[in-house]
Amino acid sequence: MDTEIKNAVNATDREAQYDEQAKRLLGNKIILAHILVKTVDEFRGMNPKDVVSYIEGEPLISAVPVEPGLTNVVKEKDGQRIVGMNTENAEVNEGLVRFDIIFYVRMKDGISQVIVNLEAQKDEPASYDILNRAVFYVSRLVSSQKERDFVKTNYNDIKRVFSIWVCMNMDENSMAYVHLVKDDLLGSYQWKGSLDLLNIVMIGIANELPEHDEKYKLHRLLSTILSMELSVDEKLGIMETEYHIPVDDKLRKDVSAMCNLSQGIKDNTLADVIMNMYENHFTLEQIAVATKKTVAEVEAVIKKREPALA
């Protein structure tokens, strides 16, 4: 395989692995609980540790297709037709767009449930408006409930849905709540129904780690988890001391794996910069100054990328 192609494939593979590792970390129940207390009205102000028990089952990560007709799967059990979320046809449906994370949350009344979808984006897409995609996702979360969460015309059984979007590399830290409202254009008739079924929360994360402040509490946690700059110990230290998140072997292993992947991505990006400067006839000394590397390190990168020059 050509060296350039091999490097591109390796970089793409690392980024895909990084994305999956990020989803696994965000899909940790205690992390989800921290997100819920800042985004879902039912849990606002609660201790995240107390919210964990309301998250039902294991969150589905990169498992459920978004496409209409493929979100659900029909099974037969004891002669009965059962409709559930489609998590079994990963190979058949390979390449399809999937919800990042989906999970059910039991409300404090012990009866009602909401469906929560969490999506993580490296940045705001340039090819489409992200809010349009969020509207599509939240609509799919409602429409896919038919025959799974409600049957026939029992529309009063529709569960509330939340689609929460975490967007990195934004100009500022932000959070917006997008939902239905009713404007009376004539009269004031009280139409029966729930305006709170569709809920979208857009969370923007700036590049700089936010200060330790209640205002930025969720943003600081998300920024810490997804950072490509902080070390394993720095991440775990913030999570443990500021958010009282228990650091077990699994969490440490997951954070370590993510940091290793981010280092690989950074190294590859730096190597691209070095090679671009080298191919544009910058001297080794100039490249070293620009990239904050030694001349020997710059030479090593060039030799690795172009073995024939060694």
Side-chain angles (χ1 to χ4, degrees):
M1 184 185 290
D2 180 83
T3 303
E4 288 291 329
I5 296 176
K6 185 176 181 181
N7 287 334
V9 170
N10 287 339
T12 301
D13 183 55
R14 273 195 297 268
E15 289 180 9
Q17 290 181 52
Y18 178 87
D19 289 345
E20 284 305 307
Q21 193 65 41
K23 293 174 193 175
R24 280 199 289 272
L25 270 174
L26 290 172
N28 187 302
K29 284 189 176 183
I30 186 61
I31 304 299
L32 294 175
H34 275 275
I35 295 172
L36 290 176
V37 300
K38 293 294 185 180
T39 56
V40 177
D41 47 3
E42 175 91 356
F43 303 110
R44 201 173 300 279
M46 286 182 62
N47 186 322
K49 289 182 180 179
D50 297 330
V51 176
V52 169
S53 62
Y54 291 99
I55 299 174
E56 300 196 325
E58 288 303 315
L60 301 174
I61 302 173
S62 300
V64 180
V66 176
E67 277 75 2
L70 293 178
T71 303
N72 294 335
V73 64
V74 180
K75 306 176 188 176
E76 289 284 338
K77 185 177 181 180
D78 299 328
Q80 289 188 320
R81 180 175 178 269
I82 299 174
V83 181
M85 284 190 177
N86 181 4
T87 61
E88 298 184 342
N89 297 322
E91 293 181 5
V92 173
N93 296 324
E94 187 176 0
L96 294 179
V97 176
R98 298 172 186 276
F99 292 104
D100 281 357
I101 302 170
I102 287 186
F103 56 101
Y104 281 83
V105 182
R106 182 71 60 179
M107 295 291 94
K108 289 186 288 187
D109 62 11
I111 301 172
S112 55
Q113 291 174 308
V114 298
I115 301 172
V116 180
N117 158 232
L118 179 65
E119 297 290 322
Q121 302 284 301
K122 287 191 290 291
D123 47 35
E124 188 171 9
S127 58
Y128 61 85
D129 295 334
I130 193 168
L131 188 54
N132 292 353
R133 184 177 174 188
V135 169
F136 177 75
Y137 274 43
V138 83
S139 300
R140 286 290 303 125
L141 290 169
V142 169
S143 64
S144 68
Q145 290 182 49
K146 192 166 185 352
E147 305 307 325
R148 189 187 74 225
D149 295 298
F150 76 94
V151 295
K152 297 183 179 178
T153 59
N154 296 328
Y155 295 110
N156 286 358
D157 292 337
I158 295 175
K159 291 175 170 48
R160 294 178 72 197
V161 296
F162 284 79
S163 190
I164 303 168
W165 293 70
V166 178
C167 240
M168 299 294 293
N169 299 306
M170 302 296 284
D171 292 335
E172 63 175 339
N173 289 305
S174 62
M175 184 158 65
Y177 177 41
V178 182
H179 54 109
L180 295 176
V181 295
K182 170 179 170 278
D183 291 326
D184 290 321
L185 304 181
L186 180 64
S188 57
Y189 185 77
Q190 296 304 306
W191 298 96
K192 295 178 182 179
S194 303
L195 287 177
D196 63 353
L197 291 178
L198 303 179
N199 302 274
I200 297 171
V201 181
M202 307 299 295
I203 302 173
I205 306 293
N207 286 320
E208 294 290 326
L209 184 68
E211 59 188 90
H212 180 40
D213 181 87
E214 183 62 31
K215 179 180 178 182
Y216 298 110
K217 191 170 184 178
L218 178 58
H219 288 72
R220 183 171 171 84
L221 175 60
L222 294 173
S223 186
T224 296
I225 292 170
L226 299 171
S227 172
M228 296 184 73
E229 303 299 328
L230 297 177
S231 68
V232 175
D233 288 339
E234 286 173 328
K235 288 190 176 193
L236 294 176
I238 291 174
M239 291 165 70
E240 190 171 28
T241 59
E242 295 182 21
Y243 297 90
H244 310 293
I245 295 173
V247 176
D248 55 18
D249 290 341
K250 182 182 182 303
L251 183 60
R252 181 174 290 276
K253 183 178 179 181
D254 286 345
V255 171
S256 179
M258 190 170 170
C259 285
N260 288 338
L261 287 166
S262 65
Q263 185 59 50
I265 293 169
K266 285 193 294 182
D267 288 346
N268 191 75
T269 302
L270 183 61
D272 287 340
V273 171
I274 289 173
M275 290 306 300
N276 184 55
M277 293 183 72
Y278 176 74
E279 289 163 3
N280 282 280
H281 311 296
F282 284 83
T283 66
L284 297 182
E285 288 75 14
Q286 288 173 324
I287 298 173
V289 171
T291 59
K292 297 180 180 179
K293 294 290 181 182
T294 65
V295 170
E297 288 171 329
V298 170
E299 286 181 322
V301 170
I302 294 171
K303 287 180 180 180
K304 187 175 181 181
R305 283 291 184 97
E306 293 191 356
L309 297 179

